[in-house]
């Protein structure tokens, strides 16, 4: 059927009659001007894609009627303009596409129908590690090792770029996905197939929200959901509430964008924005650069919202010009946004739309701060850092506690490093990393770090040689302006040499610490510290030996590296004493905002961006030299330990199977609150005593060849064994942290994978019990695929992180939620019972189902299939099975 809104299509420029747009102002509906700007993007997509099949006129009406229906769990479809992937989540997506082609062929269909319809970019940024640092050739050595470890994966991705249409690969060494998206890939307004329309994107990384800072509506989805979008399916979403976040005032001169985002993160966690859009407005927004806005939008997952949207304004348009975008395209971008009422003037309050609720922050009240020691929302003012850490030392084990006995708070361990004697204590900094697109995309904090380094070196300050320092920029542009402005040499003198272009320390690719440092930490059972300019600091994520990890601005990362400890009050204690015996305080070397802005105006220029990005797809010689096959069906290598055809589609038929009641399931694991995807599907190194290590050893690999879990996401045998393998896992069945559980039929304590295998061999179903915020953290599809392969049929939790719940649905695992006011404690559940979950023949979204225990107790839980589309996926055994049946038939 043709689009019922075709009558509102018109040319944007009468001189170019073939370049058209859907003029939403011609809907002549007064509700449009009151919609939040983020909802207007959803509306335009619904109007443009309306076909009365996937998108219906009723969906358009629901979005227009947002103010009245926002609280009613109304389901609407959304077709994003683009998909973006990084290699950790991109490899399994391409593996799934290759396996889906095989499955469609087996069912008698045309395998080449499995092909991205929606444009997709895959940026390789998650594979490089900080193996070498503090050397002028660290970058080259780390990149060489990256290719040595990942050659097979990279060849597979290069095959994918040739085999699949509409899939572009950005090679390793180019930068971090979200910074490359911000500086290069984002269009703001699409010009495609004869139409102008708002750019929008979903990505297989939770920090896809960073692009919201430029006015491109985007958020993270599971890899499974992204694959469906790539195949032309709309996202089915509940029309969200929109929290208006009003910014007023001006930041203090010493405050950075990092301080602002950590303040907002804590504030919005308290407000409660899970599952909602946050839209920024107010005169304070006009005080923020696009880089500042992108920093705030980047940490949207940490405050729990779906998106953190800054509508496009003249500063956004100026950023497009600054970053070297085509001036004529920028002109049409502004013209289009003005025509459809999507260009914002933050100083004009008459443009303020309706919001679900409004909260406010006066930027003048923000103080320099960090977050930690275990969660990004736990903000600590810099002035309180010393006393807060010391309070955490003795506090009960938890998010703000390490339970160290009082008589050990001042323990000191002596050690030798490179022929010199040093001491470590609780609070000693052993990792200091300027890392992550959260901050490396922002010239103000990066140049601030460089200027601070310059003043520190000139004052005679140094960083202790055993501290693992690193600088991993989010794009080549950063290196360019740090070098041109003359601060790079000072960063290098303090140990902050460029070690690679990728996520690195922020995702756990921090590499090894010196053995003598590890021995000292272990000997003293010390709470050693990592300080990083990242967005995540969950326990066990950054490095196994840093129990405390603090998020901080790049200048503060350097300051704490110089101090060598987190137990310092910068206002009262000096950073260090120079060779002349002079005490140097942080205030003596902290650059002013005027200093930073003067350097930024001079050195961050359009020519820089053009020079870096015009050769981004061809500059990596190692990538260019890779040989990859050009066959349309992938030839799986049975000897490969990186790429393996997954078993998800084994035995798949065109006929649907009737959902069955889950009978007498055992509980595999019982958790408390805030179990993250880091706990479920760990990133970082593969422990030598783990099931994954035993598997790789059986395939003839040595520990040096294990690589990381993230690099092996294309191999289900490794990832199933890596599921719930985090060393910091807290399972209520076990009295200590670790990746183990009780196999109840035998009473044995086993590694989680080994227990699951025992249950599977005996034909027993499994479930997982959890508390609040189950699945928080990065959007990892393996956090759903892994439990599925272990035989987990359902999860029963108090609440879920949005993306993880969607991923469970995508794999056919049932997300169950306790009724309001109930939890395992109120119901008296120990997890040692056996659970029968009654699945009726006729299902409806968010219905209650009955659960019977072998003790005779019964209770109800909410089946968290939130939409009819999700129920369709469940009936098919998951979203990919649904797509295969659709393509094959």
């Amino acid at each position: 059927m043709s689009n019922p809104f075709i009558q509102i299509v018109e040319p944007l420029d009468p001189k170019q009659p073939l370049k058209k747009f859907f003029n939403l102002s011609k809907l002549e509906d007064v509700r449009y001007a009151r919609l939040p700007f983020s909802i207007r993007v959803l509306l335009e997509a619904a109007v443009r894609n309306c076909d009365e099949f996937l998108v219906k006129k009723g969906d358009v009406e629901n979005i227009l009627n947002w103010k009245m229906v926002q609280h009613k769990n109304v389901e609407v479809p959304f077709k994003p303009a683009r998909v973006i992937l990084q290699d950790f989540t991109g490899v399994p997506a391409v593996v799934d596409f290759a396996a889906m082609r095989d499955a469609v062929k087996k069912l008698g269909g045309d395998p080449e129908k499995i092909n991205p319809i929606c444009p997709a970019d895959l940026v390789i940024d998650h594979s490089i590690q900080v193996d070498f640092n503090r050397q002028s050739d660290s970058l080259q050595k780390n990149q060489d090792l990256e290719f040595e470890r990942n050659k097979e994966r990279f060849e597979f991705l290069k095959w994918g770029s040739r085999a699949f249409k509409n899939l572009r690969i950005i090679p390793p060494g180019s930068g971090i996905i979200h910074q490359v998206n911000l500086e290069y890939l984002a269009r703001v307004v699409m010009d495609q197939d004869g139409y102008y329309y708002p750019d929008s994107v979903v990505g297989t990384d939770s920090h896809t929200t960073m692009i919201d800072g430029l006015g491109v509506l985007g958020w993270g989805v599971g890899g499974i959901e992204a694959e469906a979008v790539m195949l032309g399916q709309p996202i089915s979403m509940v029309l969200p509430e929109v929290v208006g976040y009003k910014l007023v005032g001006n930041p203090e001169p010493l405050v950075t964008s990092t301080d602002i985002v950590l303040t907002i993160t804590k504030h919005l966690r308290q407000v409660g924005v899970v599952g909602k859009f946050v839209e920024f407005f107010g005169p304070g927004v006009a005080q923020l650069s696009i880089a500042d806005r992108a920093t705030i939008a980047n940490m949207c997952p940490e405050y729990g919202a779906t998106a953190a949207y800054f509508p496009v304004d003249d500063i956004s348009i100026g950023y497009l010009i600054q970053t070297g975008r085509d001036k004529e395209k920028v002109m049409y971008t502004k013209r289009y946004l003005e025509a459809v009422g999507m260009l914002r003037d933050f100083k004009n309050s008459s443009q303020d739309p309706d919001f679900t609720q409004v909260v406010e922050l006066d930027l003048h009240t923000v103080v320099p701060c960090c977050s930690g020691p275990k969660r990004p929302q736990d903000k600590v003012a810099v002035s309180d850092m010393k006393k807060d850490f010391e309070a955490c030392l003795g506090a009960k084990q938890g998010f703000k506690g390490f339970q160290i006995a009082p008589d050990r708070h001042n323990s000191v361990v002596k050690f030798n490093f490179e022929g010199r004697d040093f001491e470590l204590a609780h609070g000693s900094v052993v990792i200091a990393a300027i890392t992550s697109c959260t901050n490396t995309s922002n010239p103000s904090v990066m140049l601030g770090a460089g200027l601070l380094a310059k003043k520190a070196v000139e004052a005679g300050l140094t960083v202790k040689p055993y501290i693992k320092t690193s600088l991993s920029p989010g794009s080549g542009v950063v290196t360019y302006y740090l070098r041109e402005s003359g601060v790079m040499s000072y960063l290098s003198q303090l140990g902050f040499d460029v070690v690679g272009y990728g996520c690195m320390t922020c995702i756990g690719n921090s590499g090894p610490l010196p053995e003598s440092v590890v021995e000292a930490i272990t000997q003293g059972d010390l709470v050693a510290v990592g300080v990083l300019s990242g967005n995540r600091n969950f326990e066990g994520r950054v490095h196994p030996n840093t129990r405390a990890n603090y998020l901080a601005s790049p200048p503060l990362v350097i300051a704490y590296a110089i101090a060598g400890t987190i137990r310092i009050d910068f206002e009262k204690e000096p950073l260090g004493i120079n060779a002349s015996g002079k005490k140097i305080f942080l205030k003596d070397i902290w650059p002013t905002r005027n200093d930073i802005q003067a350097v930024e105006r001079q050195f961050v220029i359009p020519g820089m961006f053009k020079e870096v990005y015009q050769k981004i797809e061809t500059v990596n010689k190692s990538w260019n030299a890779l040989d990859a096959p050009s066959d349309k069906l992938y030839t799986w290598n049975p000897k490969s330990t990186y790429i393996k055809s997954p078993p998800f589609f084994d035995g798949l038929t065109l006929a649907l199977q009737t959902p069955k009641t889950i009978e007498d399931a055992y509980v595999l694991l019982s958790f408390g609150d805030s179990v993250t995807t880091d706990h479920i599907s760990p990133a970082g190194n593969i422990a030598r005593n783990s099931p994954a290590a035993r598997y790789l050893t059986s395939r003839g690999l040595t520990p040096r060849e294990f690589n990381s879990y993230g690099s092996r996401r294309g191999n289900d045998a490794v990832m199933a064994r890596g599921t719930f393998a985090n060393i910091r896992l807290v399972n209520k069945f076990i009295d200590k942290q670790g990746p183990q559980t009780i196999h109840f039929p035998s009473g044995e304590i086993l590694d989680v994978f080994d227990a699951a295998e025992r249950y599977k061999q005996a034909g027993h179903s499994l479930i997982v019990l959890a508390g609040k915020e189950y699945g928080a953290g990065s959007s990892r599809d393996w956090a759903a695929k892994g439990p599925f392969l272990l035989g987990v049929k359902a999860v029963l939790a108090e609440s879920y992180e949005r993306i993880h719940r969607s991923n469970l649905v995508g794999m056919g695992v049932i997300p169950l939620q306790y009724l309001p006011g109930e939890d395992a404690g109120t119901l008296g559940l120990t997890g040692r019972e056996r659970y029968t979950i009654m699945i009726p023949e006729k299902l409806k979204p968010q219905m209650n189902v009955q659960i019977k225990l072998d003790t005779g107790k019964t209770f109800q839980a909410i089946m968290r299939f939130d939409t009819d589309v999700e129920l369709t996926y469940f009936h098919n055994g998951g979203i990919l099975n649904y797509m295969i049946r659709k393509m094959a038939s």
Side-chain angles (χ1 to χ4, degrees):
M1 179 179 174
S2 63
N3 191 313
F5 296 98
I6 199 71
Q7 75 278 4
I8 68 170
V9 172
E10 62 182 46
L12 181 63
D13 182 349
K15 296 176 184 176
Q16 294 186 322
L18 298 180
K19 293 288 189 74
K20 303 173 184 179
F21 75 112
F22 282 80
N23 191 346
L24 299 183
S25 64
K26 291 199 170 181
L27 290 172
E28 297 179 348
D29 194 309
V30 295
R31 294 173 294 181
Y32 178 66
R34 303 305 307 158
L35 289 176
F37 282 66
S38 51
I39 299 299
R40 297 180 199 187
V41 178
L42 300 184
L43 176 68
E44 191 283 336
V47 167
R48 177 169 37 87
N49 291 295
C50 189
D51 60 359
E52 289 296 358
F53 176 58
L54 289 173
V55 184
K56 301 181 179 179
K57 283 184 74 173
D59 298 317
V60 172
E61 171 58 25
N62 280 332
I63 299 172
L64 269 170
N65 202 31
W66 170 84
K67 187 175 182 180
M68 303 305 296
V69 304
Q70 58 176 304
H71 305 296
K72 297 182 179 178
N73 281 328
V74 171
E75 172 193 353
V76 295
F78 175 53
K79 294 188 84 170
R82 298 183 289 123
V83 174
I84 193 164
L85 312 99
Q86 36 90 338
D87 54 305
F88 270 19
T89 49
V91 165
V94 180
V95 166
D96 287 348
F97 265 62
M100 289 168 74
R101 278 192 171 181
D102 292 342
V104 168
K105 185 180 180 183
K106 287 177 184 176
L107 292 175
D110 178 4
E112 289 196 47
K113 283 187 177 180
I114 299 293
N115 213 60
I117 297 168
C118 182
D121 294 297
L122 192 157
V123 181
I124 300 175
D125 66 354
H126 273 49
S127 299
I128 192 166
Q129 297 183 189
V130 191
D131 291 288
F132 298 94
N133 68 309
R134 286 186 177 248
Q135 302 170 26
S136 59
D137 59 352
S138 295
L139 171 63
Q140 190 59 53
K141 285 182 174 179
N142 287 327
Q143 288 182 336
D144 289 346
L145 201 48
E146 175 189 22
F147 266 82
E148 181 185 322
R149 287 171 173 150
N150 298 286
K151 184 171 182 284
E152 189 179 339
R153 293 172 63 245
F154 292 170
E155 286 174 342
F156 175 69
L157 288 175
K158 198 164 186 178
W159 166 81
S161 68
R162 292 176 177 177
F164 298 109
K165 299 172 185 175
N166 257 347
L167 175 63
R168 173 171 52 175
I169 306 285
I170 304 297
S174 303
I176 302 175
I177 176 174
H178 308 305
Q179 188 162 339
V180 173
N181 194 16
L182 184 73
E183 295 175 352
Y184 176 60
L185 298 174
R187 284 78 146 173
V188 178
V189 169
M190 301 292 289
D191 175 5
Q192 192 154 323
D193 300 328
Y195 284 92
Y196 292 105
Y197 53 94
D199 188 7
S200 58
V201 63
V202 292
T204 56
D205 190 283
S206 51
H207 294 102
T208 300
T209 54
M210 181 170 175
I211 204 61
D212 289 328
L214 185 57
V216 176
L217 185 63
W219 62 86
V221 295
I224 304 153
E225 198 171 12
E227 290 166 36
V229 174
M230 289 165 70
L231 290 166
Q233 297 299 294
I235 287 174
S236 182
M237 60 185 293
V238 173
L239 193 61
E241 297 179 13
V242 182
V243 175
Y245 199 90
K246 188 174 185 179
L247 296 175
V248 298
N250 293 308
E252 286 286 326
L254 299 182
V255 165
T256 68
S257 58
T258 315
D259 304 320
I260 295 171
V261 71
L262 296 180
T263 301
I264 289 172
T265 298
K266 181 173 183 179
H267 185 197
L268 284 175
R269 272 286 174 187
Q270 292 168 337
V271 170
V273 292
V274 172
K276 302 175 184 179
F277 283 3
V278 174
E279 185 168 309
F280 292 85
F281 75 110
V285 177
Q287 307 301 316
L288 301 176
S289 68
I290 294 303
D292 291 337
R293 299 176 194 181
T295 297
I296 293 166
N298 177 284
M299 286 193 70
C300 172
E302 281 64 57
Y303 41 87
T306 299
Y309 191 64
F310 288 83
V312 181
D313 68 347
D314 283 336
I315 294 176
S316 318
I317 300 297
Y319 179 83
L320 293 177
I321 294 170
Q322 182 195 24
T323 50
R325 264 75 164 204
D326 182 87
K327 289 185 178 179
E328 185 178 358
K329 289 182 178 179
V330 174
M331 178 191 73
Y332 279 110
T333 293
K334 184 172 183 180
R335 191 167 177 174
Y336 168 80
L337 294 168
E338 287 174 331
V340 293
M342 292 191 197
L343 190 68
R344 189 76 161 91
D345 178 359
F346 289 105
K347 295 178 181 177
N348 181 1
S349 61
S350 68
Q351 282 191 4
D352 293 352
D354 294 328
F355 292 112
T356 307
Q357 71 177 112
V358 172
V359 291
E360 184 173 307
L361 175 68
D362 184 347
L363 293 172
H364 186 73
T365 64
V366 177
V367 298
C369 58
C370 300
S371 278
K374 302 182 186 182
R375 296 192 303 181
Q377 64 261 43
D378 293 330
K379 185 191 78 163
V380 186
V382 171
S383 57
D384 295 332
M385 280 286 285
K386 182 178 181 179
K387 65 181 181 183
D388 185 83
F389 177 80
E390 290 176 346
C392 289
L393 271 182
K396 184 180 178 182
Q397 182 71 241
F399 298 125
K400 295 288 286 185
F402 297 101
Q403 210 163 332
I404 303 296
D407 62 342
R408 291 185 47 242
H409 284 197
N410 295 312
S411 298
V412 173
V413 179
K414 298 181 184 297
F415 71 103
N416 186 276
F417 179 76
E418 295 181 345
R420 294 170 59 191
D421 292 329
F422 296 97
E423 294 180 346
L424 283 185
H426 295 297
S428 289
V429 173
V430 296
I431 290 177
I434 298 176
T435 181
S436 172
C437 51
T438 309
N439 285 290
T440 68
S441 62
N442 195 323
S444 66
V445 292
M446 296 302 288
L447 287 168
L451 292 172
L452 184 140
K454 180 175 185 290
K455 290 186 176 185
V457 170
E458 290 170 345
L461 297 176
T462 60
V463 175
K464 292 182 178 69
Y466 63 80
I467 296 176
K468 188 156 193 180
T469 48
S470 61
L471 167 60
S472 48
S475 80
V477 173
V478 179
T479 307
Y480 204 139
Y481 65 66
L482 289 177
R483 188 174 59 239
E484 291 296 305
S485 62
V487 298
M488 183 64 88
S489 62
Y490 297 100
L491 287 162
S492 295
Q493 287 180 65
L494 293 179
F496 289 91
D497 297 278
V498 173
V499 295
Y501 296 95
C503 300
M504 304 189 88
T505 299
C506 188
I507 59 165
N509 286 0
S510 49
L513 288 174
E515 285 188 20
S516 59
V517 172
V518 173
E519 288 170 4
I521 293 169
T522 305
Q523 179 187 334
D525 191 26
L526 298 177
V527 181
V529 176
V531 184
L532 64 154
S533 63
N535 47 42
R536 295 256 164 93
N537 57 340
F538 300 126
E539 192 173 10
R541 178 185 177 93
V542 174
H543 193 281
N545 295 111
T546 56
R547 286 156 70 184
N549 297 281
Y550 287 91
L551 306 182
S553 66
L556 279 175
V557 170
I558 295 177
Y560 280 113
I562 293 169
T565 180
I566 216 79
R567 298 168 81 170
I568 181 172
D569 184 336
F570 288 129
E571 295 176 9
K572 300 175 182 177
E573 301 171 64
L575 271 178
I577 300 172
N578 67 13
S580 304
K582 182 183 177 182
K583 293 180 178 179
I584 309 297
F585 288 83
L586 182 58
K587 64 184 178 183
D588 300 328
I589 62 171
W590 194 271
T592 67
R593 177 167 294 168
N594 288 339
D595 291 340
I596 296 168
Q597 289 176 343
V599 176
E600 185 175 350
R601 280 192 297 270
Q602 184 177 354
F603 294 103
V604 184
I605 55 176
M608 229 172 241
F609 291 87
K610 287 180 179 177
E611 184 174 335
V612 168
Y613 282 112
Q614 69 185 5
K615 54 189 179 183
I616 191 170
E617 293 179 51
T618 57
V619 73
N620 192 313
K621 293 178 181 178
S622 298
W623 175 263
N624 297 340
L626 284 178
D627 187 30
S630 55
D631 302 336
K632 296 302 181 184
L633 292 175
Y634 187 69
T635 303
W636 306 96
N637 178 1
K639 295 181 180 179
S640 173
T641 56
Y642 279 103
I643 306 297
K644 179 176 175 290
S645 182
F648 306 135
F649 315 126
D650 291 353
L652 183 68
T653 63
L654 286 173
L656 293 182
Q657 305 296 313
T658 304
K660 297 178 181 177
T661 288
I662 299 169
E663 295 188 5
D664 287 328
Y666 282 97
V667 177
L668 179 63
L669 294 148
S670 179
F671 296 126
D673 297 339
S674 297
V675 169
T676 72
T677 51
D678 285 320
H679 294 112
I680 306 168
S681 172
N685 294 325
I686 296 172
R688 296 187 181 193
N689 62 346
S690 66
R694 292 195 292 273
Y695 168 79
L696 292 172
T697 300
S698 74
R699 300 297 300 269
L701 274 66
T702 64
R704 183 179 176 275
E705 299 169 306
F706 286 173
N707 211 332
S708 64
Y709 279 112
S711 69
R712 294 191 181 275
R713 286 187 182 182
N715 185 321
D716 63 272
V718 173
M719 295 308 293
R721 288 164 173 80
T723 302
F724 299 117
N726 191 304
I727 60 171
R728 302 295 182 194
L729 194 74
V730 179
N731 175 12
K732 291 181 179 180
F733 296 150
I734 307 293
D735 59 6
K736 63 179 181 179
Q737 289 184 341
Q740 293 187 313
T741 194
I742 297 175
H743 176 254
F744 287 111
S746 68
E748 290 181 68
I749 294 177
L750 301 172
D751 286 333
V752 174
F753 174 80
D754 295 334
E757 281 294 288
R758 287 251 198 113
Y759 283 123
K760 188 185 295 186
Q761 289 166 7
H764 298 308
S765 295
L766 297 171
I767 67 168
V768 169
L769 300 183
K772 300 181 182 70
E773 297 179 339
Y774 181 71
S778 301
S779 57
R780 296 203 183 131
D781 54 342
W782 272 110
K785 289 177 177 177
F788 170 82
L789 291 177
L790 293 185
V792 173
K793 303 295 185 185
V795 177
L796 176 58
E798 292 178 58
S799 65
Y800 293 88
E801 193 275 338
R802 177 185 61 85
I803 299 174
H804 184 61
R805 187 201 62 81
S806 172
N807 276 343
L808 290 174
V809 172
M811 286 309 299
V813 177
I814 303 174
L816 297 169
Q817 188 164 316
Y818 293 104
L819 298 181
E822 293 185 352
D823 56 36
T826 62
L827 293 169
L829 306 180
T830 66
R832 295 170 182 267
E833 310 89 350
R834 296 183 70 175
Y835 292 65
T836 295
I837 301 164
M838 310 300 292
I839 309 295
E841 281 190 28
K842 292 186 177 180
L843 301 175
K844 59 183 181 180
Q846 296 196 346
M847 71 182 294
N848 289 358
V849 294
Q850 191 165 11
I851 300 175
K852 296 180 179 179
L853 308 183
D854 61 345
T855 61
K857 183 181 182 67
T858 63
F859 63 97
Q860 290 193 326
I862 305 164
M863 185 181 279
R864 285 292 310 277
F865 297 125
D866 290 355
T867 66
D868 287 324
V869 172
E870 289 187 345
L871 282 174
T872 300
Y873 295 156
F874 176 63
H875 283 298
N876 278 271
I879 191 171
L880 300 183
N881 293 4
Y882 166 75
M883 291 304 304
I884 288 169
R885 287 190 174 103
K886 182 177 178 182
M887 293 296 180
S889 61

